Amino acid sequence: MKKTTLDLMFLNAVFVLGLILSNLFGGKLIGLRDMIVPGAVLTYPLTFLSTDVIGEVWGKKEADGCVKMGFIAQILFLALGHLSLMIPAQPQCEELQECLTVVLNQGVRMTLASMVAFAVSQPLDVYIFHRLKDKCHGKHRWLRNNGSTMISQLFDTVIFITIAFYGVVDEIVLMVSAQYMVKLALALLDTPFFYLFTRRKVDWNIQKRTG
């Protein structure tokens, strides 16, 4: 991936897309074999991949900026969504209005769980990524990509599941374990994409040193 403004905007857009989709589907429980996990488990990993690529190519400042942008985007999404629901719908759209209300009003508890988990896990991911990058002197990209994601995802999973589903779902510990296992698998699967999206920067640095 080239170090251009357009590519940076694209990754920020992917980050916000994954974040908003996770908020929409966070309250939907899905079954993966014998495991029950929130639907957001399939979309939220996009956010960690995006900030890892941004941090690798553009640096920690831009990755932190992406996280802050995501936090603001969540607040605006909820605020503008509720504002739209306050406007009376035409009679033929009342059923759609009810569906949108159910989707957006998944409850203050669900929203709080998402915001708290995000506020802890995303800055932690950026911090660990760059600490590992400094410790390894820029080598072992797989380690900082997977290490930062796996640790921050653990915090995210425990915080979100505990706040959102404690007292609502039986065997909450199993739910945390199941979601984290899926996240670990997805974190490993995104490693080739991380290498693909950061490859050109490394090639450019090699050319710069040898040119």
Side-chain angles (χ1 to χ4, degrees), residues 154-203:
L154 176 61
F155 280 83
D156 178 85
T157 303
V158 172
I159 293 172
F160 178 78
I161 296 295
T162 301
I163 297 177
F165 297 104
Y166 182 78
V168 177
V169 178
D170 295 332
E171 302 293 345
I172 193 169
V173 175
L174 292 179
M175 188 175 183
V176 169
S177 301
Q179 183 178 19
Y180 187 59
M181 287 174 59
V182 175
K183 287 181 175 180
L184 285 181
L186 292 175
L188 293 174
L189 288 174
D190 79 14
T191 303
F193 295 98
F194 174 75
Y195 269 79
L196 175 65
F197 295 145
T198 60
R199 176 177 55 85
R200 290 187 178 181
K201 177 180 183 293
V202 174
D203 291 345

Side-chain angles (χ1 to χ4, degrees), residues 32 37 61 98 161:
L32 295 176
V37 297
K61 183 178 179 181
E98 293 176 0
I161 296 295

Side-chain angles (χ1 to χ4, degrees), residues 82-123:
H82 284 289
L83 179 62
S84 297
L85 290 176
M86 291 173 60
I87 303 174
Q90 293 295 310
Q92 64 268 31
C93 295
E94 288 182 356
E95 185 176 349
L96 176 60
Q97 173 83 355
E98 293 176 0
C99 293
L100 291 172
T101 301
V102 171
V103 171
L104 195 61
N105 293 338
Q106 295 184 68
V108 175
R109 184 174 179 177
M110 191 70 63
T111 302
L112 177 63
S114 175
M115 299 290 281
V116 174
F118 175 87
V120 173
S121 64
Q122 291 291 348

Side-chain angles (χ1 to χ4, degrees), residues 31-108:
L32 295 176
R33 293 192 175 182
D34 296 329
M35 301 182 296
I36 298 177
V37 297
V41 73
L42 301 176
T43 55
Y44 200 55
L46 285 175
T47 63
F48 290 94
L49 175 61
S50 298
T51 52
D52 283 355
V53 174
I54 291 173
E56 180 70 18
V57 178
W58 284 270
K60 185 176 184 296
K61 183 178 179 181
E62 291 293 349
D64 284 331
C66 180
V67 172
K68 293 175 182 177
M69 183 187 301
F71 193 81
I72 295 173
Q74 287 186 95
I75 296 175
L76 290 176
F77 171 75
L78 292 172
L80 294 175
H82 284 289
L83 179 62
S84 297
L85 290 176
M86 291 173 60
I87 303 174
Q90 293 295 310
Q92 64 268 31
C93 295
E94 288 182 356
E95 185 176 349
L96 176 60
Q97 173 83 355
E98 293 176 0
C99 293
L100 291 172
T101 301
V102 171
V103 171
L104 195 61
N105 293 338
Q106 295 184 68
V108 175

